[in-house]
Amino acid sequence: MSNPRNVNWFKDLDKVFGAKFKKICAGIIVKDVKDGLDTGTGTGSSKLKKLSPNTIRRKKKKGYSKPSKALIATGTMRKLPPVTMNGKEAEIKVAKSRSAIAKYHNEGLGNPKREWFSVSERAREKIGRAIGKKVVHILKRNFKLPNKL
């Protein structure tokens, strides 16, 4: 057995988990972002700040289907492009046409901050469980552990 100090952890973990698993984890984040938008919940599990009456009135005049819901005017924010692999990292982006307005809302530039596009604690917990299951699967496969310990 090799000395753990001589292990290149990033390289070896990449071999163990691979691009497919990283894409699965990114998919967990994407689903969490979409679910957050649907429920009006930010990445910190708190409700997004409500829209002002003036904003709701303006959205009604424009004919939006959900004028009182924050970040849901045209539905473009929710339509995240597919997860892409950028080298060894999974990349999640907002639709290119909405990147400026997404940043505006997420960082609170000139309006109430509505943090909606980042990795939430909910997503971290789900990814942690997925990693745990993957490690157990690897251990069972490589070390032939009995099903019941």
Side-chain angles (χ1 to χ4, degrees), residues 56-81:
I56 294 170
R57 232 182 339 271
R58 191 175 69 242
K59 285 181 156 190
K60 278 182 182 176
K61 281 182 182 178
K62 288 184 177 183
Y64 294 136
S65 61
K66 297 178 183 177
S68 61
K69 269 190 120 172
L71 301 169
I72 303 288
T74 62
T76 307
M77 292 280 213
R78 196 179 182 289
K79 295 176 188 167
L80 300 175

mmCIF file of all heavy atoms in Angstrom, residues 56-81:
data_model
loop_
_atom_site.group_PDB
_atom_site.id
_atom_site.type_symbol
_atom_site.label_atom_id
_atom_site.label_comp_id
_atom_site.label_asym_id
_atom_site.label_seq_id
_atom_site.Cartn_x
_atom_site.Cartn_y
_atom_site.Cartn_z
ATOM 1 N N ILE A 56 -44.433 44.881 -9.329
ATOM 2 C CA ILE A 56 -45.536 43.961 -9.642
ATOM 3 C C ILE A 56 -46.483 44.617 -10.656
ATOM 4 O O ILE A 56 -46.874 43.995 -11.640
ATOM 5 C CB ILE A 56 -46.295 43.542 -8.359
ATOM 6 C CG1 ILE A 56 -45.360 42.701 -7.465
ATOM 7 C CG2 ILE A 56 -47.564 42.759 -8.704
ATOM 8 C CD1 ILE A 56 -45.899 42.439 -6.078
ATOM 9 N N ARG A 57 -46.805 45.900 -10.431
ATOM 10 C CA ARG A 57 -47.676 46.635 -11.355
ATOM 11 C C ARG A 57 -47.058 46.695 -12.759
ATOM 12 O O ARG A 57 -47.730 46.468 -13.760
ATOM 13 C CB ARG A 57 -47.903 48.047 -10.809
ATOM 14 C CG ARG A 57 -49.328 48.460 -10.712
ATOM 15 C CD ARG A 57 -49.588 49.873 -10.221
ATOM 16 N NE ARG A 57 -48.567 50.564 -9.466
ATOM 17 C CZ ARG A 57 -48.440 50.513 -8.128
ATOM 18 N NH1 ARG A 57 -49.266 49.789 -7.413
ATOM 19 N NH2 ARG A 57 -47.486 51.187 -7.524
ATOM 20 N N ARG A 58 -45.756 46.995 -12.809
ATOM 21 C CA ARG A 58 -45.052 47.085 -14.092
ATOM 22 C C ARG A 58 -45.063 45.735 -14.824
ATOM 23 O O ARG A 58 -45.289 45.664 -16.031
ATOM 24 C CB ARG A 58 -43.612 47.564 -13.857
ATOM 25 C CG ARG A 58 -42.880 47.931 -15.119
ATOM 26 C CD ARG A 58 -41.498 48.511 -14.868
ATOM 27 N NE ARG A 58 -40.605 47.495 -14.343
ATOM 28 C CZ ARG A 58 -40.022 47.536 -13.143
ATOM 29 N NH1 ARG A 58 -40.223 48.548 -12.339
ATOM 30 N NH2 ARG A 58 -39.228 46.566 -12.744
ATOM 31 N N LYS A 59 -44.863 44.640 -14.057
ATOM 32 C CA LYS A 59 -44.868 43.303 -14.664
ATOM 33 C C LYS A 59 -46.271 42.930 -15.166
ATOM 34 O O LYS A 59 -46.410 42.286 -16.200
ATOM 35 C CB LYS A 59 -44.365 42.255 -13.665
ATOM 36 C CG LYS A 59 -42.863 42.288 -13.464
ATOM 37 C CD LYS A 59 -42.472 41.205 -12.477
ATOM 38 C CE LYS A 59 -41.047 40.786 -12.657
ATOM 39 N NZ LYS A 59 -40.731 39.581 -11.881
ATOM 40 N N LYS A 60 -47.301 43.346 -14.422
ATOM 41 C CA LYS A 60 -48.685 43.079 -14.864
ATOM 42 C C LYS A 60 -48.956 43.792 -16.181
ATOM 43 O O LYS A 60 -49.553 43.215 -17.096
ATOM 44 C CB LYS A 60 -49.686 43.543 -13.804
ATOM 45 C CG LYS A 60 -49.883 42.561 -12.678
ATOM 46 C CD LYS A 60 -50.929 43.067 -11.704
ATOM 47 C CE LYS A 60 -51.082 42.100 -10.551
ATOM 48 N NZ LYS A 60 -52.034 42.602 -9.538
ATOM 49 N N LYS A 61 -48.522 45.042 -16.282
ATOM 50 C CA LYS A 61 -48.723 45.813 -17.516
ATOM 51 C C LYS A 61 -48.033 45.161 -18.702
ATOM 52 O O LYS A 61 -48.525 45.218 -19.820
ATOM 53 C CB LYS A 61 -48.208 47.245 -17.341
ATOM 54 C CG LYS A 61 -49.133 48.149 -16.590
ATOM 55 C CD LYS A 61 -48.567 49.554 -16.515
ATOM 56 C CE LYS A 61 -49.478 50.456 -15.708
ATOM 57 N NZ LYS A 61 -48.930 51.815 -15.583
ATOM 58 N N LYS A 62 -46.880 44.532 -18.452
ATOM 59 C CA LYS A 62 -46.144 43.859 -19.523
ATOM 60 C C LYS A 62 -46.762 42.510 -19.874
ATOM 61 O O LYS A 62 -46.368 41.874 -20.849
ATOM 62 C CB LYS A 62 -44.670 43.676 -19.131
ATOM 63 C CG LYS A 62 -43.881 44.976 -19.131
ATOM 64 C CD LYS A 62 -42.430 44.718 -18.837
ATOM 65 C CE LYS A 62 -41.620 46.001 -18.914
ATOM 66 N NZ LYS A 62 -40.195 45.754 -18.688
ATOM 67 N N GLY A 63 -47.691 42.035 -19.036
ATOM 68 C CA GLY A 63 -48.399 40.799 -19.333
ATOM 69 C C GLY A 63 -47.703 39.525 -18.859
ATOM 70 O O GLY A 63 -48.000 38.440 -19.351
ATOM 71 N N TYR A 64 -46.798 39.647 -17.901
ATOM 72 C CA TYR A 64 -46.118 38.458 -17.389
ATOM 73 C C TYR A 64 -47.103 37.578 -16.634
ATOM 74 O O TYR A 64 -47.999 38.059 -15.946
ATOM 75 C CB TYR A 64 -44.958 38.837 -16.469
ATOM 76 C CG TYR A 64 -43.829 39.546 -17.181
ATOM 77 C CD1 TYR A 64 -43.232 40.665 -16.631
ATOM 78 C CD2 TYR A 64 -43.346 39.091 -18.407
ATOM 79 C CE1 TYR A 64 -42.190 41.312 -17.277
ATOM 80 C CE2 TYR A 64 -42.310 39.731 -19.060
ATOM 81 C CZ TYR A 64 -41.739 40.841 -18.489
ATOM 82 O OH TYR A 64 -40.709 41.472 -19.131
ATOM 83 N N SER A 65 -46.932 36.258 -16.753
ATOM 84 C CA SER A 65 -47.886 35.327 -16.151
ATOM 85 C C SER A 65 -47.783 35.273 -14.622
ATOM 86 O O SER A 65 -48.754 34.972 -13.951
ATOM 87 C CB SER A 65 -47.703 33.925 -16.736
ATOM 88 O OG SER A 65 -46.406 33.450 -16.463
ATOM 89 N N LYS A 66 -46.607 35.549 -14.080
ATOM 90 C CA LYS A 66 -46.420 35.508 -12.620
ATOM 91 C C LYS A 66 -45.762 36.821 -12.167
ATOM 92 O O LYS A 66 -44.615 36.835 -11.740
ATOM 93 C CB LYS A 66 -45.555 34.314 -12.231
ATOM 94 C CG LYS A 66 -46.185 32.978 -12.586
ATOM 95 C CD LYS A 66 -45.275 31.830 -12.238
ATOM 96 C CE LYS A 66 -45.919 30.528 -12.669
ATOM 97 N NZ LYS A 66 -45.071 29.384 -12.425
ATOM 98 N N PRO A 67 -46.506 37.917 -12.229
ATOM 99 C CA PRO A 67 -45.900 39.222 -11.953
ATOM 100 C C PRO A 67 -45.437 39.431 -10.512
ATOM 101 O O PRO A 67 -44.589 40.271 -10.261
ATOM 102 C CB PRO A 67 -47.012 40.208 -12.315
ATOM 103 C CG PRO A 67 -48.264 39.440 -12.196
ATOM 104 C CD PRO A 67 -47.919 38.022 -12.551
ATOM 105 N N SER A 68 -45.954 38.667 -9.572
ATOM 106 C CA SER A 68 -45.561 38.880 -8.175
ATOM 107 C C SER A 68 -44.412 37.966 -7.730
ATOM 108 O O SER A 68 -43.941 38.087 -6.608
ATOM 109 C CB SER A 68 -46.762 38.683 -7.258
ATOM 110 O OG SER A 68 -47.244 37.364 -7.390
ATOM 111 N N LYS A 69 -43.961 37.068 -8.609
ATOM 112 C CA LYS A 69 -42.868 36.160 -8.265
ATOM 113 C C LYS A 69 -41.523 36.758 -8.651
ATOM 114 O O LYS A 69 -41.323 37.150 -9.798
ATOM 115 C CB LYS A 69 -43.028 34.813 -8.969
ATOM 116 C CG LYS A 69 -43.807 33.807 -8.165
ATOM 117 C CD LYS A 69 -43.708 32.455 -8.797
ATOM 118 C CE LYS A 69 -43.076 31.504 -7.826
ATOM 119 N NZ LYS A 69 -43.109 30.128 -8.267
ATOM 120 N N ALA A 70 -40.615 36.817 -7.696
ATOM 121 C CA ALA A 70 -39.274 37.334 -7.956
ATOM 122 C C ALA A 70 -38.520 36.400 -8.903
ATOM 123 O O ALA A 70 -38.592 35.175 -8.772
ATOM 124 C CB ALA A 70 -38.507 37.469 -6.650
ATOM 125 N N LEU A 71 -37.842 36.983 -9.862
ATOM 126 C CA LEU A 71 -36.962 36.292 -10.810
ATOM 127 C C LEU A 71 -37.694 35.425 -11.835
ATOM 128 O O LEU A 71 -37.068 34.703 -12.587
ATOM 129 C CB LEU A 71 -35.915 35.436 -10.068
ATOM 130 C CG LEU A 71 -35.011 36.203 -9.124
ATOM 131 C CD1 LEU A 71 -34.205 35.233 -8.264
ATOM 132 C CD2 LEU A 71 -34.083 37.109 -9.888
ATOM 133 N N ILE A 72 -39.027 35.475 -11.836
ATOM 134 C CA ILE A 72 -39.776 34.690 -12.821
ATOM 135 C C ILE A 72 -40.634 35.660 -13.627
ATOM 136 O O ILE A 72 -41.774 35.916 -13.304
ATOM 137 C CB ILE A 72 -40.692 33.639 -12.136
ATOM 138 C CG1 ILE A 72 -39.914 32.715 -11.239
ATOM 139 C CG2 ILE A 72 -41.473 32.855 -13.181
ATOM 140 C CD1 ILE A 72 -39.031 31.718 -11.946
ATOM 141 N N ALA A 73 -40.073 36.219 -14.668
ATOM 142 C CA ALA A 73 -40.856 37.090 -15.549
ATOM 143 C C ALA A 73 -41.104 36.357 -16.858
ATOM 144 O O ALA A 73 -42.237 36.050 -17.205
ATOM 145 C CB ALA A 73 -40.122 38.398 -15.789
ATOM 146 N N THR A 74 -40.037 36.022 -17.541
ATOM 147 C CA THR A 74 -40.169 35.341 -18.829
ATOM 148 C C THR A 74 -39.901 33.846 -18.713
ATOM 149 O O THR A 74 -40.203 33.099 -19.630
ATOM 150 C CB THR A 74 -39.174 35.924 -19.848
ATOM 151 O OG1 THR A 74 -37.844 35.694 -19.371
ATOM 152 C CG2 THR A 74 -39.392 37.411 -20.044
ATOM 153 N N GLY A 75 -39.308 33.420 -17.606
ATOM 154 C CA GLY A 75 -38.955 32.013 -17.421
ATOM 155 C C GLY A 75 -37.560 31.685 -17.912
ATOM 156 O O GLY A 75 -37.081 30.564 -17.757
ATOM 157 N N THR A 76 -36.869 32.673 -18.472
ATOM 158 C CA THR A 76 -35.530 32.431 -19.022
ATOM 159 C C THR A 76 -34.517 32.092 -17.937
ATOM 160 O O THR A 76 -33.618 31.286 -18.157
ATOM 161 C CB THR A 76 -35.053 33.658 -19.830
ATOM 162 O OG1 THR A 76 -36.051 33.969 -20.794
ATOM 163 C CG2 THR A 76 -33.751 33.375 -20.547
ATOM 164 N N MET A 77 -34.637 32.694 -16.753
ATOM 165 C CA MET A 77 -33.692 32.411 -15.659
ATOM 166 C C MET A 77 -33.737 30.931 -15.294
ATOM 167 O O MET A 77 -32.730 30.346 -14.937
ATOM 168 C CB MET A 77 -34.022 33.222 -14.415
ATOM 169 C CG MET A 77 -33.804 34.680 -14.569
ATOM 170 S SD MET A 77 -32.099 35.129 -14.389
ATOM 171 C CE MET A 77 -32.337 36.724 -13.659
ATOM 172 N N ARG A 78 -34.930 30.354 -15.375
ATOM 173 C CA ARG A 78 -35.102 28.958 -14.986
ATOM 174 C C ARG A 78 -34.557 28.004 -16.045
ATOM 175 O O ARG A 78 -34.244 26.866 -15.757
ATOM 176 C CB ARG A 78 -36.593 28.683 -14.753
ATOM 177 C CG ARG A 78 -36.826 27.427 -13.991
ATOM 178 C CD ARG A 78 -38.302 27.194 -13.767
ATOM 179 N NE ARG A 78 -38.497 26.004 -12.992
ATOM 180 C CZ ARG A 78 -38.285 24.779 -13.431
ATOM 181 N NH1 ARG A 78 -37.847 24.568 -14.637
ATOM 182 N NH2 ARG A 78 -38.485 23.749 -12.639
ATOM 183 N N LYS A 79 -34.456 28.470 -17.267
ATOM 184 C CA LYS A 79 -33.970 27.628 -18.362
ATOM 185 C C LYS A 79 -32.445 27.663 -18.404
ATOM 186 O O LYS A 79 -31.844 28.332 -19.243
ATOM 187 C CB LYS A 79 -34.542 28.106 -19.698
ATOM 188 C CG LYS A 79 -36.037 27.948 -19.802
ATOM 189 C CD LYS A 79 -36.538 28.531 -21.096
ATOM 190 C CE LYS A 79 -38.056 28.550 -21.094
ATOM 191 N NZ LYS A 79 -38.581 29.362 -22.177
ATOM 192 N N LEU A 80 -31.838 26.971 -17.466
ATOM 193 C CA LEU A 80 -30.377 26.938 -17.416
ATOM 194 C C LEU A 80 -29.867 26.059 -18.549
ATOM 195 O O LEU A 80 -30.423 24.996 -18.815
ATOM 196 C CB LEU A 80 -29.903 26.393 -16.071
ATOM 197 C CG LEU A 80 -30.355 27.188 -14.841
ATOM 198 C CD1 LEU A 80 -29.927 26.468 -13.579
ATOM 199 C CD2 LEU A 80 -29.796 28.582 -14.855
ATOM 200 N N PRO A 81 -28.792 26.504 -19.228
ATOM 201 C CA PRO A 81 -28.220 25.654 -20.280
ATOM 202 C C PRO A 81 -27.729 24.337 -19.686
ATOM 203 O O PRO A 81 -27.524 24.231 -18.473
ATOM 204 C CB PRO A 81 -27.043 26.477 -20.795
ATOM 205 C CG PRO A 81 -27.295 27.869 -20.334
ATOM 206 C CD PRO A 81 -28.095 27.755 -19.069
#
